[in-house]
Amino acid sequence: MKPSDIGRIVSVASPALSPGATHVAFVVTRVDMDDNRYRSQVWLARTDGAEAPRPLTAGERSDGNPTWSPDGRELAFTSRRAEKKGDATLHVIPIHGPGEVRTLATLPEGIDGLAWSPDGRWIAFGARTRDARYDKDEESWQPPRRITRFFAQIDDEGWTFDRPHHVYVVPVDGSARARNLTPGEFQFGGAAWLADSSGLVCSGAAHDTWDLDFAEDLYVVQLANGKRRALTKQTGSYGQPRPAPGGTAIGFLGADDPSTYPQNVHVGVIDASGGAHRWLSLGLDRSFAPTSGAQPPIWLGEADGVAGDGEGMLALAEDRGRVSLYRVAVDGDTPPELVIGGDRWISGFDAGRGVIAFVAGTADEPDELFVRFPNGEERQLTTLTQAMRDAVHPLPYERFTAPSTDGVEVDAWIVRPPNFEETQRYPVLLSVHGGPFGQYGEHFFDEAQLYASAGYVVLLSNPRGSSGREDAWGQAILGAEHPRRRGTGWGSVDVDDVLAVLDEALRRYTFCDASRVGMLGGSYGGYMATWLAAHHGERFRAICSERAVNNLVSEEWSSDIATIFRVTHGPSHLDAPEEYARMSPVTYVDKIDTPMLLIHSEQDLRCPIAQAEELFVALRLRGKDVEFVRFPGEGHELSRSGSPVHRVQRAEIILEFFGKHLAEPAENAGDGVSDERDPAS
C-alpha cells in the first residue's frame, strides 16, 4: 500500500436491518481524490443474498443515517441536497412500491441520530441550533461571544456554546416543519422513542454545573409539549438509551462516577418511570462503549420480534484488540454471553427477528457487511473492498504478548513487510495509539499497512492505560493523587509496557534490526513519542510526534476539553502545577537528541498547535534536529478524516522522514543500501 492508495479506501458502516429482517440498509463511503472529498451512499442488500447489494442513493451529497419505517416500506436518510451549500437535509424514500423521495427538513447544521416513531407518524433527529449571530456570515458583524462555561468549542465542530445540540421531531407526512423538542442552552441527543410514541428518551446535561461535575442524565421528553422529566439525578454519566419494546424499562450505557476517566462503560437498565438503575454487564470487566464508536444496546425482545421486554440486550464490547457482540441478561447475575466473536472487530450492528446484521473486519480485511441467522449461520453480504484488497494486498498481523513490570503481559502485534524474508534485517517502526484509552487490534489500519508496505516491521501494542481490558488496566496510569483510584501517572508503567514490547520483538524476531528503530504516535501517542525522545532517545534513530500533548499544564487551559484532565490526573493544574509539569515531555527538552518530526494541524482544538510550537521553539533554540510540518484547515482527526489530499501528503512526509533516518544500518551509514525492500528505495 502506497500513500496514493488512500484514494482506494472504501468503508462500510451503519447497518440498519428492516423490520421484517429481509433487507439491510447501510452506508458506503469512498474517497474522491479528484475533488478532495468523501462521497457516501446508502446501499441496500437482501439478507438471503438472493440479489447483489445495490446503491439506493447517488452519494453525491453525503448520504447517510439510514433508518427504516416501522412497516419496512420506507427508509429515512440524511444528505446535503439543499440548494444552499452546507445545509443538511432529511429525506424519506419508498422501498417497496411507487413514490418519490420527499424532503422533510432542511437545516443549516448536520442532522444525526434518526429515530422513527413506533406508530410511524414521526421522525426524531438531532441537530445543532444556531444562535442568531450566525445570520451574518462575516465575523466582523457578529456580536462578541459571552462565555460562562467550559467546553464552549469542540474540535472539528468549532464554537458550540451558541450552537447547542438539540432533539427535533418532524411529521413523516410533511405536514409541518421540524420542531425543536429541547430548546435552550443545554444539549441533548441520542433520542429513542417510547413504545407508545408519546415521547422520547434522550441523554443530556441540563444542570448548571454540568461543565464542572461532568454528569449526564437520561430524560423523558413528551412529544406533545416538550416537557421533560429526569430519570437519573446527576449521579453519573448515562447515555445511549434504548426503551424496551414492552415499554416498562430503558436500557442504556454509562458509569456512576463522572469524576474518573477512564473506566469501563457498562450496560444498565432503569424503569421508565425512574428510580434506581441496575448494571447488567458487570460480570464482564470490559467496556461496552468501544472507543471506535459506541451504539445503544438492542433489546432481545426487540431483536427477536416478541412481545414484552425480553430477557436482555445485545451490546458491543472491546476485548484485547477485538470488538465482539454479547448478550447481556436482564437479571444482572449472569455474565454476558459471547454471541459473535473471533479475531475481528465489529464496528456496528442491528438486529431483528433473530437476525443480526453487522459490519466487521480484520487487520487485512477491511469492513464488510454480514448477517447471522437464528441457527448460527453467518453470511457475508458484500465484497465492496475487494478491488482495494486486490490492488494493495493488505498485510496480516501476528499477535504476541510481551512481559512487562509487575508480571503483566502486554498485547502486541507485528506487521511484516511484503515479500518478507526471514534472513533479511528490517528497520522497525514502533507505533503508539492515542487516548490513551483506546486500543489497537484486529482492525484494518491504513497507517500500519502503509509503513509495512514501505519496508518496515511495524509494532503495535496496548500498554497500560489502554482500553479493551479490565478497569484496573485502563486506570493504571491515573494520577498518583487521584481521589478515587491512584495510579502511577502518565510516563510511568505505560512507558515500561511500550519498551517491553519493543524489547520482546527484538528478542523474538531476529529479522528486526535493533540499530534501525523509529517511533511514532499521535495525540497521547504523540505525548509518548516526545517522552521517549527525552527519556529513552538512545533507543531510537528518529521519532515522529504528531498532534501531541507536550505540555500538560497549558493543555489544561487551552484544549477544547480543558479542565477535564483532572478526572485522569487527580488534582487540577492549579492545585498541582508541579505534577503536571513533571509529567510534561517539554519539561525535559534539553535531554532530546533524537531527530524529530513534528506534525500538527493548525485548527486542532483538542491538542492546540501551540503544543507543537512550544516544542519546536525549544528544540530549535537548543540546536536540535527537528522538522515542523503544519497542516492548514485541519483538526485533530487529520490522519483519519482529514482531506484526502492532506492524508496522502502526511503519509508521504512521514515515510520520507523515516526513509532518511532509518535507511541504512548503523554500521553501513553512507553506503547507500538499495535493496528493493528497503524504505529508502
Side-chain angles (χ1 to χ4, degrees):
M1 187 173 183
K2 305 180 297 297
S4 59
D5 290 324
I6 288 173
R8 300 180 186 271
I9 293 177
V10 177
S11 66
V12 178
S14 307
L17 190 66
S18 67
T22 59
H23 292 78
V24 186
F26 57 102
V27 177
V28 178
T29 302
R30 302 178 188 274
V31 179
D32 185 337
M33 292 300 303
D34 291 335
D35 284 351
N36 195 23
R37 55 172 293 189
Y38 302 92
R39 299 188 183 278
S40 57
Q41 295 173 279
V42 176
W43 279 56
L44 199 64
R46 287 181 55 128
T47 54
D48 61 8
E51 299 175 1
R54 62 182 175 87
L56 189 64
T57 67
E60 291 297 313
R61 299 290 183 89
S62 302
D63 304 329
N65 296 296
T67 306
W68 291 92
S69 63
D71 61 10
R73 298 176 62 183
E74 295 184 306
L75 191 76
F77 67 96
T78 60
S79 188
R80 295 277 184 175
R81 301 184 179 194
E83 293 182 6
K84 183 178 179 181
K85 184 177 180 180
D87 280 3
T89 48
L90 170 63
H91 309 272
V92 170
I93 184 173
I95 300 298
H96 305 294
E100 298 180 349
V101 176
R102 60 186 188 275
T103 302
L104 299 184
T106 300
L107 284 84
E109 298 279 357
I111 295 175
D112 57 45
L114 304 191
W116 208 307
S117 65
D119 65 9
R121 297 174 56 197
W122 302 87
I123 294 177
F125 61 90
R128 293 196 175 278
T129 304
R130 285 187 176 182
D131 184 89
R133 75 164 58 245
Y134 296 98
D135 292 342
K136 296 185 180 297
D137 294 331
E138 292 187 21
E139 288 191 339
S140 61
W141 287 94
Q142 294 179 5
R145 297 183 173 95
R146 189 184 303 273
I147 308 298
T148 59
R149 290 190 178 93
F150 302 132
F151 315 114
Q153 56 181 334
I154 297 294
D155 188 71
D156 277 344
E157 282 281 356
W159 293 102
T160 56
F161 79 100
D162 54 0
R163 297 167 51 238
H165 191 276
H166 289 150
V167 175
Y168 286 77
V169 291
V170 64
V172 173
D173 62 9
S175 60
R177 298 173 62 120
R179 174 164 55 99
N180 189 345
L181 268 189
T182 60
E185 61 178 311
F186 299 118
Q187 299 203 99
F188 297 88
W193 287 92
L194 297 174
D196 62 2
S197 300
S198 65
L200 303 105
V201 183
C202 62
S203 60
H207 56 287
D208 286 337
T209 59
W210 64 266
D211 64 324
L212 297 172
D213 56 34
F214 313 128
E216 184 175 14
D217 289 303
L218 300 176
Y219 292 87
V220 171
V221 184
Q222 296 301 315
L223 174 63
N225 53 22
K227 184 177 180 180
R228 63 176 181 258
R229 170 174 52 89
L231 297 178
T232 55
K233 307 296 182 183
Q234 300 162 34
T235 58
S237 180
Y238 313 116
Q240 304 284 352
R242 191 76 173 234
T248 62
I250 296 169
F252 64 95
L253 301 179
D256 284 330
D257 180 13
S259 69
T260 301
Y261 183 84
Q263 58 183 305
N264 285 341
V265 170
H266 282 280
V267 179
V269 65
I270 190 170
D271 192 272
S273 61
H277 59 274
R278 294 183 295 117
W279 296 114
L280 306 181
S281 59
L282 296 178
L284 179 64
D285 193 2
R286 295 290 186 268
S287 180
F288 284 79
T291 52
S292 57
Q295 72 170 79
I298 293 180
W299 285 86
L300 287 170
E302 181 180 10
D304 296 335
V306 301
D309 290 344
E311 298 178 353
M313 288 172 270
L314 298 174
L316 295 175
E318 293 183 327
D319 183 27
R320 302 187 74 159
R322 312 172 190 90
V323 179
S324 303
L325 185 66
Y326 290 84
R327 179 181 291 110
V328 180
V330 126
D331 59 21
D333 297 325
T334 306
E337 175 189 354
L338 182 65
V339 177
I340 302 177
D343 287 336
R344 55 183 169 180
W345 189 299
I346 300 176
S347 57
F349 80 102
D350 197 8
R353 298 190 179 277
V355 177
I356 301 171
F358 64 99
V359 170
T362 65
D364 56 347
E365 295 182 352
D367 285 350
E368 295 283 4
L369 178 66
F370 299 80
V371 288
R372 183 182 185 273
F373 297 99
N375 62 3
E377 177 194 353
E378 186 176 301
R379 176 181 297 153
Q380 182 173 336
L381 296 182
T382 63
T383 55
L384 290 164
T385 65
Q386 186 65 53
M388 183 194 77
R389 285 187 282 136
D390 290 343
V392 307
H393 306 293
L395 301 164
Y397 291 6
E398 178 182 334
R399 187 188 191 105
F400 68 99
T401 60
S404 187
T405 55
D406 303 328
V408 304
E409 283 194 341
V410 184
D411 295 323
W413 293 263
I414 186 170
V415 191
R416 306 177 191 222
N419 304 314
F420 174 80
E421 295 181 11
E422 193 77 32
T423 57
Q424 178 78 21
R425 287 173 64 80
Y426 297 89
V428 177
L429 285 183
L430 175 69
S431 179
V432 176
H433 62 65
F437 198 61
Q439 66 166 6
Y440 280 145
E442 312 292 343
H443 193 245
F444 180 80
F445 181 34
D446 62 323
E447 296 183 51
Q449 298 292 334
L450 285 166
Y451 307 146
S453 296
Y456 299 96
V457 170
V458 179
L459 298 178
L460 312 169
S461 65
N462 292 329
R464 276 171 282 190
S466 301
S467 61
R469 292 180 64 164
E470 59 275 7
D471 255 334
W473 187 267
Q475 295 178 351
I477 58 172
L478 291 177
E481 299 301 321
H482 196 284
R484 299 297 178 92
R485 183 184 179 94
R486 296 189 175 186
T488 54
W490 288 15
S492 59
V493 295
D494 48 349
V495 175
D496 294 340
D497 292 354
V498 168
L499 293 178
V501 167
L502 176 59
D503 289 338
E504 178 64 14
L506 294 177
R507 182 195 69 79
R508 182 183 300 200
Y509 304 105
T510 57
F511 51 82
C512 293
D513 188 345
S515 73
R516 291 189 291 166
V517 178
M519 186 270 165
L520 73 167
S523 196
Y524 164 80
Y527 167 95
M528 181 65 74
T530 311
W531 184 276
L532 289 175
H535 292 82
H536 302 278
E538 74 284 353
R539 303 289 306 270
F540 305 97
R541 290 267 292 271
I543 290 177
C544 173
S545 178
E546 185 174 9
R547 60 183 184 276
V549 182
N550 293 312
N551 187 334
L552 293 176
V553 181
S554 59
E555 177 76 359
E556 185 64 324
W557 70 63
S558 61
S559 170
D560 63 339
I561 55 173
T563 74
I564 206 170
F565 296 98
R566 56 190 169 87
V567 303
T568 294
H569 302 313
S572 75
H573 68 296
L574 300 177
D575 297 323
E578 68 289 341
E579 179 65 4
Y580 279 69
R582 184 194 67 78
M583 291 189 295
S584 296
V586 75
T587 300
Y588 311 97
V589 68
D590 284 337
K591 298 181 179 180
I592 295 178
D593 293 311
T594 307
M596 293 197 72
L597 169 64
L598 313 184
I599 297 179
H600 222 102
S601 297
E602 293 186 342
Q603 303 303 315
D604 191 337
L605 299 181
R606 184 59 42 89
C607 299
I609 196 167
Q611 292 286 322
E613 291 169 335
E614 181 177 357
L615 181 61
F616 173 72
V617 168
L619 290 172
R620 178 68 176 156
L621 282 176
R622 290 291 188 257
K624 304 302 176 76
D625 187 345
V626 59
E627 301 175 39
F628 183 17
V629 177
R630 306 165 63 111
F631 279 88
E634 299 289 357
H636 196 65
E637 298 298 308
L638 163 63
S639 63
R640 294 176 281 261
S641 59
S643 78
V645 166
H646 280 164
R647 287 178 63 188
V648 170
Q649 292 171 338
R650 169 189 169 274
E652 292 172 340
I653 289 166
I654 291 173
L655 290 174
E656 178 188 29
F657 172 74
F658 284 116
K660 178 172 65 176
H661 291 285
L662 303 185
E664 300 160 341
E667 63 272 21
N668 296 323
D671 290 345
V673 178
S674 60
D675 190 283
E676 66 178 3
R677 290 177 298 277
D678 196 284
S681 62

